[in-house]
Amino acid sequence: MKKILVHERFKEDWIQVLTHIANLFFEDSKLCESIDNPDLSVHFQYKIENNVYSTACQLEVDGKTYVCTYSKEYDTDGTEREQNIRMKRALSHVLLDVLEQYTGIKQQWGILTGIRPTKLYHKFRKEGLSRDEIRAVLKKDFRVSDEKISLLESIVERQLATIPDLDEIGNEVSIYIGVPFCPTKCAYCTFPAYAIAPNRKTGRVATFLDALHIEMREIGKWLKENNMKVTSVYWGGGTPTSIEAEEMDALYQTMYESFPNPENIREITVEAGRPDTITLEKLEVLKKWGIDRISVNPQSYTDETLKAIGRHHSVQETIDKFWLARNSGMNNINMDLIIGLPNEGIEEFQHSLDETEKIMPESLTVHTLSFKRASEMTRNKEKYKVADRATVSRMMEMAQEWTRENGYHPYYLYRQKNILGNLENVGYSKPGDESIYNIVIMEEVQTIIGIGCGAASKFVNPETGAITQYYNPKEPFQYIASFEGAIEKKIEMLDQLYGVELKK
């Protein structure tokens, strides 16, 4: 842990933001006003005068001093909340600069530590800024590199081509349905994913499914009564194809009976991410209900890596199940690769790209490994040897080069805390095969109603963009015990958000 002495008395939320900046450079940091034997010592100066926010930072370490100053003028006084955000950005700016000077590490995303940098780009776009003006702001005030700005520009362009009514889509909703079962739980995973016995009889799975049917019907009833259009439906988890084919069939029947005008839903996706859950019978069920967008996720094309991360399928099974799905009529297949998995470097990732080229799915999502707090990999970090910053950066460059050469375009992006190399996760697709759901959830442009275990609902005010969240329980037994109350709460929140004006 890097102990950093901050000589000023700051608000707690300021310390949190500055800690995020320090953690871009050091694996773990602690910023304190009083600390014994600090590794670094930082002095700040700051003031607001005539809407000009001025900051200065002096870093002292190993007998050397690093200095940076910064100021920005705003057109308005701003609310108290806006003033606080402005000052945190200004302080982040100077701290980032002195730490870059000290470490020699250039942060490509600048002071941006949030999940959704594309959302910031859309904010500036909707405020009327031109492409050049947005680039200038991101570069000067947020210190984002030209390379990352160009990536954001490409993504926003694809999003607007995929969903021309992106700015008005808040008058519709999308739906996420969580099925919390998997064959095994991957070492890096923190999603609701409970091992499902291969030969299980009745029990929590059947009881959970009974509750899920009820929740779909009740939410569907509200949607119909309020003339609410559904943009997209995403079946996730867990792995929704972990359950039996007849159970899947019954769920999709309930979906089609419950949701309004299912024939007009723009996209339905089913995560079939674990190849060991895919069967011909299940694929026939998907085809029966007109669902042809699925994920079949290799994560890696090295068998030793799959074993290390707890995936009980082989590389060959991934390939076989892809072609089984393709020959069964699945016309929009996504595949995931993860950069930085244990014991993988340039050679192994190049092999994964080479194998992907033999298959050419419609979309490829390239994730960078993140040490999520509750994952097995984080709890036992010493067991997992992962690539260094330079290696993971080169692997991301390889993914960018490969997708460009093979006709894929980036269309959505998100970042995570504790992500290797301070990089990102990027979804690439062939033109016309972008996932609508992935765009709307990442840009938070419309309400997402979460149904099922561990499902998060995001209620987005179509006028103000304000977001309220509600979480269903992650554990199946808790969900079964409380789903009726969750239905009532979500309907109450929907009523408050949309009122009676949508009702005829």
Side-chain angles (χ1 to χ4, degrees):
M1 175 184 289
K2 284 286 184 181
K3 296 185 291 185
I4 303 175
L5 175 62
V6 178
H7 292 268
E8 291 69 33
R9 185 174 293 278
F10 280 158
K11 299 178 184 178
E12 184 176 344
D13 62 327
W14 290 16
I15 288 291
Q16 289 175 346
V17 167
L18 296 176
T19 300
H20 290 325
I21 295 297
N23 284 341
L24 299 178
F25 298 87
F26 314 115
E27 186 169 315
D28 192 15
S29 305
K30 184 175 183 179
L31 277 68
C32 293
E33 298 165 14
S34 177
I35 192 169
D36 294 330
N37 301 315
D39 298 301
L40 297 85
S41 178
V42 183
H43 296 264
F44 288 96
Q45 293 179 343
Y46 60 95
K47 68 177 180 178
I48 307 173
E49 191 172 56
N50 298 323
N51 291 335
V52 176
Y53 290 68
S54 301
T55 55
C57 183
Q58 179 176 302
L59 170 66
E60 298 171 355
V61 56
D62 299 332
K64 296 182 179 179
T65 301
Y66 305 89
V67 178
C68 177
T69 60
Y70 171 78
S71 66
K72 179 174 174 59
E73 182 176 2
Y74 291 87
D75 296 332
T76 63
D77 291 342
T79 64
E80 183 177 346
R81 178 177 179 273
E82 287 170 337
Q83 290 176 12
N84 194 48
I85 291 172
R86 292 169 181 176
M87 184 53 72
K88 286 190 289 189
R89 286 176 177 170
L91 292 168
S92 296
H93 186 109
V94 291
L95 179 60
L96 184 90
D97 189 285
V98 295
L99 289 175
E100 286 186 337
Q101 292 180 47
Y102 165 55
T103 63
I105 298 172
K106 178 69 174 176
Q107 299 294 346
Q108 297 292 309
W109 285 107
I111 67 170
L112 296 183
T113 58
I115 293 173
R116 296 173 170 84
T118 41
K119 189 177 178 182
L120 181 64
Y121 193 104
H122 279 295
K123 174 180 178 291
F124 291 142
R125 176 184 63 81
K126 288 188 279 189
E127 288 175 355
L129 274 65
S130 69
R131 183 177 175 127
D132 289 342
E133 288 171 333
I134 296 173
R135 176 174 280 270
V137 170
L138 290 173
K139 190 170 183 177
K140 180 178 184 297
D141 297 326
F142 293 88
R143 301 178 63 96
V144 183
S145 71
D146 287 329
E147 176 189 349
K148 298 305 181 186
I149 296 173
S150 295
L151 176 59
L152 294 179
E153 290 171 343
S154 298
I155 288 171
V156 168
E157 182 179 349
R158 288 308 314 161
Q159 290 179 342
L160 293 172
T162 302
I163 312 176
D165 57 341
L166 186 67
D167 295 341
E168 292 80 42
I169 207 169
N171 293 316
E172 302 180 10
V173 300
S174 285
I175 297 172
Y176 175 88
I177 304 173
V179 179
F181 302 110
C182 270
T184 59
K185 187 156 186 169
C186 300
Y188 52 77
C189 181
T190 57
F191 289 106
Y194 299 90
I196 188 169
N199 299 312
R200 51 92 173 156
K201 303 286 185 182
T202 58
R204 66 175 177 173
V205 176
T207 310
F208 163 77
L209 293 176
D210 289 341
L212 184 57
H213 280 280
I214 294 171
E215 190 175 11
M216 280 198 288
R217 291 191 188 104
E218 291 301 311
I219 294 298
K221 180 182 177 183
W222 186 94
L223 294 170
K224 287 180 177 178
E225 289 176 349
N226 290 276
N227 299 315
M228 183 64 77
K229 291 183 179 178
V230 176
T231 305
S232 63
V233 178
Y234 193 99
W235 291 80
T239 306
T241 47
S242 294
I243 60 176
E244 300 299 328
E246 60 269 21
E247 294 169 330
M248 291 169 55
D249 186 40
L251 286 174
Y252 304 150
Q253 180 172 343
T254 295
M255 174 181 66
Y256 269 79
E257 290 173 351
S258 302
F259 296 167
N261 303 311
E263 68 280 359
N264 293 330
I265 295 175
R266 303 189 200 187
E267 172 187 276
I268 300 175
T269 299
V270 173
E271 275 278 356
R274 292 288 294 262
D276 40 344
T277 68
I278 299 172
T279 66
L280 182 59
E281 187 180 13
K282 294 176 185 179
L283 292 167
E284 289 173 348
V285 169
L286 294 172
K287 188 175 180 181
K288 170 185 174 181
W289 294 103
I291 300 169
D292 69 353
R293 187 177 192 279
I294 64 172
S295 288
V296 182
N297 298 332
Q299 314 299 26
S300 168
Y301 281 89
T302 300
D303 281 319
E304 290 76 9
T305 302
L306 298 178
K307 292 176 184 176
I309 61 176
R311 291 176 76 89
H312 292 183
H313 64 84
S314 65
V315 169
Q316 188 59 49
E317 185 171 11
T318 301
I319 297 168
D320 292 344
K321 294 302 177 65
F322 173 89
W323 289 114
L324 180 65
R326 173 69 82 226
N327 294 331
S328 297
M330 296 296 112
N331 297 317
N332 192 341
I333 301 177
N334 174 75
M335 303 190 88
D336 287 0
L337 294 178
I338 300 179
I339 286 173
L341 287 171
N343 303 311
E344 289 209 347
I346 301 295
E347 182 179 346
E348 288 79 10
F349 189 64
Q350 183 61 58
H351 174 67
S352 289
L353 292 174
D354 292 342
E355 290 301 308
T356 304
E357 193 163 348
K358 299 174 184 177
I359 290 176
M360 297 298 284
E362 281 67 35
S363 58
L364 179 71
T365 306
V366 181
H367 299 269
T368 306
L369 182 65
S370 172
F371 281 93
K372 300 173 185 177
R373 185 175 57 184
S375 71
E376 194 279 334
M377 189 172 287
T378 301
R379 290 194 301 268
N380 296 286
K381 206 169 183 179
E382 67 283 351
K383 285 173 50 180
Y384 299 95
K385 182 182 178 182
V386 297
D388 59 22
R389 178 185 292 261
T391 301
V392 295
S393 295
R394 176 57 194 143
M395 292 158 80
M396 179 60 75
E397 291 171 0
M398 291 164 61
Q400 293 168 345
E401 293 164 2
W402 185 92
T403 51
R404 185 168 53 249
E405 291 168 359
N406 286 280
Y408 294 84
H409 301 272
Y411 78 94
Y412 84 102
L413 175 152
Y414 69 101
R415 304 177 68 230
Q416 295 169 286
K417 291 181 181 179
N418 302 317
I419 194 168
L420 291 182
N422 190 29
L423 290 171
E424 62 273 348
N425 306 309
V426 183
Y428 299 88
S429 77
K430 296 285 189 176
D433 291 316
E434 300 83 359
S435 166
I436 292 172
Y437 178 85
N438 285 339
I439 294 173
V440 298
I441 193 169
M442 287 305 157
E443 306 315 324
E444 297 182 318
V445 292
Q446 68 172 188
T447 290
I448 308 286
I449 303 174
I451 298 174
C453 226
S457 294
K458 285 191 176 183
F459 300 96
V460 181
N461 188 303
E463 301 298 327
T464 66
I467 297 173
T468 305
Q469 300 191 53
Y470 181 84
Y471 297 90
N472 281 8
K474 284 188 174 184
E475 214 284 333
F477 286 124
Q478 292 177 352
Y479 171 79
I480 292 164
S482 63
F483 77 95
E484 292 172 324
I487 293 170
E488 292 178 3
K489 181 62 177 177
K490 283 182 286 192
I491 288 177
E492 177 186 328
M493 296 174 78
L494 287 166
D495 282 336
Q496 291 174 352
L497 182 61
Y498 296 103
V500 297
E501 59 190 46
L502 289 171
K503 296 181 181 180
K504 287 187 177 178

